Amino acid sequence: MDFRFDIITEYFPFFMKGMGLTILMSVVGVLMGCILGFFIALGKMSRTLIVRLPFVWYINFLRGTPLLVQLFLFHFAVLPSIFGETTPVISVMVTLSLNSSAYVAEIFRAGLQSIDKGQAEAAHSLGMNKYQVMRHVLLPQAFKRSIPPLGNEFIVLLKDSSLGAMIAAQELLYWGRAASGQYLRVWEPYLMVALMYLILTLTLTYLLNYLERRLDVK
Amino acid sequence: MISVRHLKKSFGDLDVLKDINVDIAQKEVVVVIGPSGSGKSTFLRCLNLIESVTDGTVTIDGEELTDKKVDINKLRAEVGMVFQQFNLFPHKTVLENITLPIITVKKWNKQDAEKKAKDLLEKVGLLDKADVYPESLSGGQKQRVAIARALGMEPKVMLFDEPTSALDPEMVGEVLGVMKQLAEEGMTMVVVTHEMGFAREVGDRVIFMDEGYVIEENEPKQLFENPQHERTQSFLSKVL
């Protein structure tokens, strides 16, 4: 079997550009997912059923339907009917943000609920109010415990951004498909794309391990 | 100082406190004893509303805690509590454990709070541990830090919920020593404990609880040597 390195060489600048977009969409997805996820976690922990219910179903929907279906739904239906138009990149960012917010919410909730209830009791007994207990006692501890599962979620999200190729967002896999279509070759482009995803996820894993070690001061 | 009237507490169908009436005077050290499940810890936890009250009133220094309109956080700051499991904040240093409520609740500045915290650490004999995290402390040291943390709020009353029950035997003495010192300085204290020696030596009054009622209360010497009620006799015969 011959291996045409020239295809890779020719498409390399496009792969790099695609990787840039993959990183951008993932970073936006992660950041928005964390911010939204935090509030959704608080909402889902409400003691009032009527407050809790919308958050429960938000999470149910986003975790219970395929990401690709959500992407199509947002790109072709939801976003165009709200804003009149959308671009593939915006659709991917919105869908990734909302999807990851559901998973992140569950991670934060698990983190908060894993803190011994004696911590909140002690803080309340010292006269701290609900906000102060959350801010100074529960959140710092819960956040630290959330880092390993959050890391997992980020890696999953980075890989899932490849679904953007299905709506022609010009990320990494998009350029792999383009190269494949132009030369009618499958090995070179897809191996190259796989390798580049691997570099991204391994770098992210390394960074997360470093962060975990750094924050392990109790 | 503390006045408890017709206090009732239920968890679902389970009535833990049935009708508690207790008065505690300023500077008094009251020790609460009783078999497990008697409601003594729940009683203590109702005194600062860490446990909600089903019925009845708790009044501390003229202010009714059970009144829905009172600022419960403000009142809680005046009632210190020490827990069986210490409940120190593991992500904060020993010094920060003490300064956190002083800064956030009392709104002191950092320098003053740290000075106060260091004075308290010196008092409990742990000034050299100011900058370590709780995980490197022994149980007895953790409990002394927890006492210092509660004292930082300058409470009018201190509640102790089995403060030595989670400790190795050789560390019980150091914690009881600090508590005894507090009592001698005139702190009003309510102590739930199994340490009968402490009750006898430091307590002004001992309350015996069983099945959600106060069965008997008296001066320690009287209660231990001459218990009136049959259930008190039977309990004391098992623990003394």
Side-chain angles (χ1 to χ4, degrees):
Chain A
M1 191 189 89
D2 60 330
F3 194 89
R4 288 185 56 187
F5 281 101
D6 60 303
I7 297 177
I8 292 172
T9 323
E10 188 197 329
Y11 264 87
F12 192 72
F14 297 108
F15 287 147
M16 290 306 287
K17 222 174 84 184
M19 190 160 90
L21 191 59
T22 291
I23 293 171
L24 175 71
M25 293 193 305
S26 305
V27 168
V28 170
V30 163
L31 289 179
M32 291 304 293
C34 280
I35 295 167
L36 288 172
F38 172 68
F39 291 104
I40 292 156
L42 293 184
K44 200 189 171 184
M45 281 166 31
S46 165
R47 286 187 196 161
T48 319
L49 181 69
I50 204 84
V51 176
R52 191 169 65 235
L53 218 53
F55 294 99
V56 170
W57 277 98
Y58 177 91
I59 293 173
N60 281 349
F61 177 78
L62 288 164
R63 292 204 312 173
T65 57
L67 182 54
L68 186 56
V69 174
Q70 293 166 18
L71 187 60
F72 285 170
L73 199 58
F74 277 100
H75 183 59
F76 296 117
V78 177
L79 294 177
S81 60
I82 297 176
F83 300 105
E85 59 176 351
T86 178
T87 71
V89 172
I90 287 177
S91 295
V92 174
M93 285 178 180
V94 169
T95 311
L96 285 180
S97 300
L98 295 181
N99 184 267
S100 75
S101 74
Y103 287 93
V104 169
E106 289 295 77
I107 291 169
F108 281 154
R109 187 176 62 87
L112 277 169
Q113 289 179 343
S114 73
I115 309 294
D116 181 65
K117 74 176 173 49
Q119 290 286 309
E121 282 178 2
H124 279 303
S125 81
L126 292 158
M128 293 168 78
N129 63 33
K130 260 178 157 175
Y131 165 80
Q132 291 166 332
V133 173
M134 189 55 99
R135 160 81 181 77
H136 297 289
V137 177
L138 300 181
L139 279 183
Q141 296 185 61
F143 181 70
K144 214 180 94 184
R145 287 187 198 184
S146 299
I147 289 174
L150 275 180
N152 269 337
E153 171 56 23
F154 296 168
I155 289 169
V156 169
L157 182 123
L158 189 133
K159 293 186 294 179
D160 282 352
S161 70
S162 64
L163 288 173
M166 296 295 107
I167 57 168
Q170 300 185 352
E171 46 69 74
L172 193 45
L173 181 59
Y174 172 91
W175 290 109
R177 279 159 59 90
S180 175
Q182 183 180 346
Y183 290 98
L184 299 176
R185 302 280 294 189
V186 286
W187 281 96
E188 294 85 354
Y190 292 134
L191 265 183
M192 187 61 195
V193 166
L195 181 69
M196 292 180 84
Y197 274 114
L198 194 61
I199 290 169
L200 287 179
T201 52
L202 289 180
T203 309
L204 189 54
T205 307
Y206 175 82
L207 285 175
L208 288 163
N209 287 343
Y210 175 75
L211 186 67
E212 271 177 53
R213 273 199 312 276
R214 275 295 301 274
L215 287 175
D216 201 27
V217 277
K218 289 217 177 83
Chain B
M1 175 89 200
I2 303 181
S3 171
V4 178
R5 286 288 168 271
H6 304 296
L7 175 63
K8 296 186 182 71
K9 173 67 187 177
S10 312
F11 294 102
D13 293 336
L14 184 70
D15 298 329
V16 181
L17 300 177
K18 285 159 189 164
D19 185 21
I20 306 283
N21 294 283
V22 171
D23 284 292
I24 294 162
Q26 195 154 9
K27 298 193 178 184
E28 195 179 17
V29 177
V30 173
V31 179
V32 184
I33 60 171
S36 58
S38 59
K40 55 193 193 302
S41 277
T42 306
F43 165 64
L44 197 73
R45 290 160 61 85
C46 284
L47 293 184
N48 68 351
L49 254 60
I50 286 291
E51 208 72 75
S52 64
V53 168
T54 307
D55 198 16
T57 59
V58 177
T59 310
I60 294 184
D61 217 15
E63 297 192 83
E64 194 181 314
L65 266 73
T66 34
D67 185 343
K68 291 264 186 293
K69 277 171 285 187
V70 306
D71 180 357
I72 186 63
N73 294 316
K74 186 171 161 288
L75 285 178
R76 274 189 187 136
E78 295 170 355
V79 182
M81 184 156 196
V82 175
F83 300 84
Q84 185 177 352
Q85 296 298 336
F86 328 124
N87 295 340
L88 294 178
F89 306 134
H91 61 300
K92 301 272 180 198
T93 64
V94 164
L95 193 75
E96 289 166 349
N97 261 274
I98 304 173
T99 57
L100 176 66
I102 303 180
I103 294 170
T104 55
V105 180
K106 289 180 90 108
K107 311 289 181 199
W108 285 23
N109 67 42
K110 196 165 172 237
Q111 286 85 356
D112 291 348
E114 283 183 354
K115 188 177 173 305
K116 172 94 185 165
K118 282 178 178 164
D119 288 348
L120 287 165
L121 281 174
E122 190 161 24
K123 183 187 171 95
V124 298
L126 289 170
L127 190 53
D128 56 325
K129 301 287 185 189
D131 296 320
V132 306
Y133 285 87
E135 68 169 355
S136 65
L137 300 179
S138 71
Q141 291 171 332
K142 282 181 192 165
Q143 198 59 299
R144 281 146 69 198
V145 172
I147 293 172
R149 181 175 68 176
L151 290 175
M153 298 305 293
E154 298 173 331
K156 294 174 183 164
V157 191
M158 284 282 283
L159 312 175
F160 293 85
D161 187 6
E162 303 199 24
T164 58
S165 298
L167 297 179
D168 291 337
E170 75 267 25
M171 291 168 187
V172 170
E174 62 190 75
V175 172
L176 292 182
V178 170
M179 290 167 61
K180 192 178 163 193
Q181 188 194 337
L182 267 182
E184 282 163 1
E185 289 168 10
M187 176 63 78
T188 311
M189 292 163 61
V190 185
V191 186
V192 170
T193 187
H194 297 291
E195 295 291 331
M196 298 303 158
F198 177 85
R200 199 187 286 254
E201 190 188 349
V202 183
D204 295 313
R205 182 154 51 113
V206 177
I207 293 178
F208 173 71
M209 281 181 69
D210 195 14
E211 292 180 356
Y213 292 104
V214 171
I215 303 293
E216 186 170 348
E217 53 182 310
N218 213 329
E219 286 169 20
K221 195 168 153 48
Q222 290 293 323
L223 189 117
F224 285 121
E225 284 166 19
N226 190 18
Q228 299 300 308
H229 200 284
E230 184 200 337
R231 272 194 272 180
T232 320
Q233 290 161 4
S234 127
F235 175 74
L236 289 175
S237 71
K238 285 177 205 142
V239 296
L240 288 181

